[in-house]
Amino acid sequence: MINFKTPELSDRAAAAKAVADSGYTGSDASFANIFLLRQKYGTQIALQDGFLFRYYNGAGSRRGYAFPLGVGDVAAAIALIVEDARQSGRPLEFCLVDEPRAQILREYFKTARSNGAKSALHFTENRGDSDYIYSAESLATLAGNQYKKKRNHVSRFNRTYSDYEIRPLTPENFADALTVEKSWLNIETLGESGDSDCECTCECREAAWAERSEDEKSRLSEYCAIREAIEHFDELGMKGAVLYVEGKPVGMTMASEILPGVWDIHFEKVIDEYAVNGGYAIINKLFAEKLWATGAHLINREEDINIEGLRKAKLSYYPQTILDKTHAVVDGETLSSHPRDLHCHPRDLTCHPREGGDLPD
């Protein structure tokens, strides 16, 4: 059985090594996401036999076992999941599985069926779970005809605001980043202090929390994640920046490394008129420049959660790869056997860039 537990900050080094060994670039494998969203999705992890195991107790595509990440006997790792599901009574389902690892699951359960087990593997894809992964150089330089509109947005910001700068996110301006977030979320309209809000949000123990609207819950949950990211900034390996206009904080961004050279943008916010006048284009470019200068070659800007405007915006930056993820459910008899003739390994497979279809004008 797998010894699952709630993620702790002390798990970061071992978890990051397992992810790096796997070569997986999905945003769900960022330790910062695993840790910061542990309450939201009821995330449990285990580090066993060279693999990072995850179980998500959320809803829909955020429910089930994640594919084990690491190096070693992949079939044995999947067999541990099968046995854990049998012993724990959890449904045998896999969430956030990219295509190379989905193929491994197909091979595994095909082999299991050939050994006499009764099982069927069913996949469901949610386009809203797909990660948008970009060349760091492209985001930093905005070179080429396809980025002409983005360069125009940057030029508009430059024309509108002559006195602006981007500063690294450090303890000296943590409060400024939170100020931007509160303004963007209109958090002050909820009528409670940040401390009590986050206690309710992150622990979900207060009766008052259940009475909040879904919009209030969403806003407060995001604020809590950002505040916790700031509280554990160094421990989570975060980098960030704050955008200032005439000394006023008007934008913020935060990121962490998924694996060496691959960064995940967790938060990016610009407020008020500054967003309309090219603020997102400028903070995106300037922060990408800093990441690229320090060795980043890929930037994962996460999923669009099926929001049309967000999808259009992400496509407009021409992703190098759209990393699709599926949800797999195993029907039939729970497997206790362990197929040994599994020849493929996720390190030998790469996700291939795919066309994003017609991009917005």
Side-chain angles (χ1 to χ4, degrees), residues 142-199:
L142 297 182
N145 290 335
Q146 72 268 34
Y147 289 115
K148 181 179 179 180
K149 287 190 175 182
K150 299 302 179 185
R151 294 195 299 271
N152 288 341
H153 293 326
V154 170
S155 295
R156 178 178 180 178
F157 194 88
N158 285 324
R159 292 193 306 270
T160 308
Y161 310 106
S162 58
D163 181 13
Y164 75 88
E165 64 176 323
I166 190 168
R167 302 177 197 166
L169 188 54
T170 66
E172 285 69 32
N173 59 3
F174 282 167
D176 290 343
L178 284 175
T179 296
V180 170
E181 177 65 9
K182 286 180 179 180
S183 178
W184 193 89
L185 291 172
N186 291 320
I187 206 84
E188 67 276 3
T189 66
L190 298 178
E192 296 187 19
S193 70
D195 289 343
S196 62
D197 285 342
C198 279
E199 187 65 26

Side-chain angles (χ1 to χ4, degrees), residues 86-101:
R86 188 187 67 80
Q87 292 188 23
S88 66
R90 294 185 178 116
L92 184 52
E93 54 188 333
F94 295 83
C95 62
L96 304 173
V97 184
D98 66 334
E99 179 52 35
R101 290 162 181 83

Side-chain angles (χ1 to χ4, degrees), residues 332-345:
E333 180 181 310
T334 300
L335 306 176
S336 58
S337 59
H338 169 175
R340 304 300 302 187
D341 55 344
L342 188 65
H343 301 297
C344 54
H345 189 281

